[in-house]
C-alpha cells in the first residue's frame, strides 16, 4: 500500500499537524489506530525503548535503521518521518542515510546540525553545532540524493541554545535555501522566541517541539504563531513507562490482580499485534491440497 506524502498533508492543513512519536511497531500502530494522519519515529524513543540508552549519540545508524524497517513494514498508508539525527557523519553518510530510509519506505527524514556524537535537543549540556556552511552542505546532499520530491526533508538546527535566537534564524534561512521542505528550530524556551520564529519563516512549514523545556501550549496557539507541525517526541513513551511503573508497583504489593480490568484484554492486545490477519491467512490455506 502506498503512503500519502507529507507534502500532501501540509498542502491541505486547516490546523497544525500533530506528530506523536513512535519508538517501536506497537507504539506506531497505536498512533495510527488513534486516527493520527502521520507518525514521527523518534531517535530519543528508539534509543531509550529499544536499547535502554539515553539520546547521546550512543546508538548507530544500523541499529536505528533496523528498528525503522520493522515500523515501515508494519504500518501502512500514512506517512512516517524518521529522526535521522545528524545523518551519522558527513555528506557521504547523509547520502547513505537518505538512500536507506527512502528505499525502506519511509516518507522523509529529520536532519540536525549538531557535532557528532549528538545530544538530545532539549539538553543544553555541552551541545555543539557544526559550522553553518558544513551543515548546509549536508542538507544539500540530502536534497540531491532523494529520488522523489515526495521524500520530505526537515532541517533542524540546535543553534538557538548555543549561538542565540538571531543566529538560529539566520541558519534556518540558509537551510531553507538548500531546498529542504520544512524547518525545525529546536528548544525554544520562551513565548517571544516562538513568536519571532513563527514570523520569520512565512511560507515554510515550521515544526515545534511540545516537550522538555519548551513552552507547552494548546495546538491552536502554535498554529496561530505560524507553526505547521507539533512534535510530541516523548509523550507516548512517557505514558507507557508511567502506566507500567504504576501497575508494577501495585502488583508488587499484591494490591491488584495480574489482569487489571483497566488494561486492554487479550483480544485487543492480539489485534494490535496483527493476529486476525495472520489467522485469516492460515484459514485460507487450511483445506488446500
Amino acid at each position: 500500500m502506498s503512503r500519502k506524502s507529507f507534502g500532501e498533508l501540509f498542502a491541505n492543513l486547516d490546523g497544525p499537524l500533530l506528530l506523536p512519536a513512535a519508538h517501536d511497531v506497537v507504539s506506531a500502530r497505536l498512533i495510527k489506530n488513534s486516527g493520527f494522519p502521520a507518525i514521527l519515529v523518534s531517535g530519543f524513543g528508539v534509543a531509550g525503548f529499544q536499547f535502554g540508552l539515553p539520546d547521546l549519540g550512543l546508538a548507530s545508524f544500523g541499529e536505528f535503521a533496523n528498528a525503522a524497517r520493522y515500523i515501515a513494514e508494519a504500518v501502512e498508508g500514512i506517512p512516517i518521518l524518521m529522526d535521522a539525527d545528524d545523518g551519522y557523519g558527513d555528506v557521504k553518510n547523509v547520502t547513505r542515510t537518505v538512500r536507506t530510509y527512502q528505499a525502506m519506505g519511509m516518507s522523509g527524514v529529520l536532519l540536525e546540525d549538531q557535532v557528532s556524537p549528538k545530544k538530545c535537543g532539549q539538553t543544553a549540556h555541552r551541545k555543539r553545532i557544526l559550522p553553518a556552511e558544513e551543515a548546509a552542505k549536508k542538507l544539500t546532499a540530502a536534497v540531491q540524493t532523494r529520488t522523489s520530491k515526495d521524500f520530505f526533508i526537515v532541517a533542524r538546527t540546535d543553534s538557538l541554545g548555543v549561538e542565540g535566537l538571531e543566529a538560529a534564524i539566520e541558519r534556518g534561512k540558509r537551510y531553507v535555501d538548500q531546498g529542504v521542505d520544512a524547518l525545525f528550530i529546536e528548544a525554544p524556551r520562551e513565548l517571544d522566541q516562538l513568536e519571532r520564529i513563527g514570523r520569520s519563516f512565512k511560507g515554510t512549514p515550521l515544526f515545534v517541539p511540545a516537550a522538555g523545556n519548551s513552552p507547552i501550549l494548546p495546538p491552536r496557539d502554535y498554529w496561530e504563531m505560524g507553526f505547521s507541525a507539533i512534535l510530541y517526541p516523548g509523550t507516548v513513551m512517557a505514558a507507557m513507562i508511567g502506566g507500567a511503573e504504576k501497575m508494577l508497583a501495585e502488583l508488587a504489593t499484591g494490591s491488584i490482580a495480574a489482569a487489571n480490568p483497566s488494561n486492554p484484554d487479550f483480544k485487543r492486545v492480539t489485534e494490535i499485534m496483527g493476529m486476525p490477519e495472520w489467522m485469516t491467512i492460515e484459514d485460507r490455506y487450511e483445506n488446500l491440497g
Side-chain angles (χ1 to χ4, degrees):
M1 181 186 295
S2 62
R3 300 187 192 280
K4 182 178 286 189
S5 71
F6 276 102
E8 291 177 85
L9 286 183
F10 281 109
N12 295 288
L13 289 179
D14 57 5
L17 177 65
L18 308 184
L19 283 173
H23 49 265
D24 59 13
V25 169
V26 170
S27 57
R29 283 179 171 167
L30 290 173
I31 291 167
K32 180 184 177 182
N33 293 348
S34 297
F36 289 92
I39 296 171
L40 167 71
V41 178
S42 160
F44 177 88
V46 172
F49 245 77
Q50 300 265 349
F51 315 127
L53 294 172
D55 188 16
L56 295 175
L58 296 169
S60 69
F61 169 54
E63 289 172 313
F64 281 116
N66 191 53
R69 185 171 289 107
Y70 286 116
I71 295 172
E73 290 174 354
V75 179
E76 299 179 327
I78 64 173
I80 305 174
L81 180 68
M82 183 67 198
D83 180 356
D85 289 335
D86 63 344
Y88 309 101
D90 64 8
V91 291
K92 300 185 300 298
N93 303 85
V94 168
T95 297
R96 183 183 180 218
T97 297
V98 170
R99 285 177 178 174
T100 299
Y101 285 135
Q102 187 169 16
M104 75 169 61
M106 285 293 175
S107 308
V109 291
L110 190 155
L111 291 163
E112 62 196 55
D113 59 1
Q114 287 194 50
V115 171
S116 182
K118 57 88 62 179
K119 291 181 170 64
C120 170
Q122 292 286 331
T123 302
H125 183 66
R126 296 180 181 173
K127 187 162 65 172
R128 297 176 298 150
I129 55 172
L130 291 169
E133 181 178 0
E134 185 177 348
K137 287 179 181 178
K138 291 172 68 172
L139 292 171
T140 299
V143 170
Q144 293 183 354
T145 296
R146 64 181 174 183
T147 58
S148 169
K149 288 188 176 180
D150 284 342
F151 190 78
F152 203 76
I153 296 175
V154 183
R156 167 179 142 181
T157 180
D158 285 71
S159 57
L160 192 156
V162 179
E163 297 179 334
L165 180 60
E166 296 303 323
I169 289 172
E170 287 306 308
R171 275 184 180 253
K173 291 177 179 178
R174 183 167 188 170
Y175 296 170
V176 170
D177 287 343
Q178 308 312 306
V180 301
D181 302 294
L183 179 67
F184 173 22
I185 295 182
E186 172 65 296
R189 295 291 195 266
E190 308 292 340
L191 281 175
D192 60 349
Q193 291 179 335
L194 287 171
E195 291 168 349
R196 177 70 193 287
I197 293 166
R199 291 195 304 269
S200 299
F201 296 95
K202 300 294 184 183
T204 298
L206 286 176
F207 284 51
V208 63
N213 296 311
S214 295
I216 309 297
L217 306 174
R220 202 74 196 181
D221 288 4
Y222 292 115
W223 176 256
E224 290 173 357
M225 290 182 190
F227 294 95
S228 306
I230 308 169
L231 305 179
Y232 296 89
T235 304
V236 176
M237 182 172 65
M240 288 184 166
I241 292 172
E245 284 186 332
K246 181 176 184 297
M247 179 275 294
L248 290 167
E250 293 175 354
L251 186 60
T253 64
S255 59
I256 64 168
N260 189 330
S262 66
N263 291 336
D265 61 17
F266 178 76
K267 180 176 182 293
R268 178 60 185 142
V269 170
T270 57
E271 285 173 350
I272 294 168
M273 306 305 175
M275 185 178 286
E277 176 191 359
W278 293 104
M279 296 304 291
T280 299
I281 292 171
E282 181 178 333
D283 291 344
R284 183 185 306 152
Y285 298 103
E286 176 67 21
N287 297 317
L288 290 183

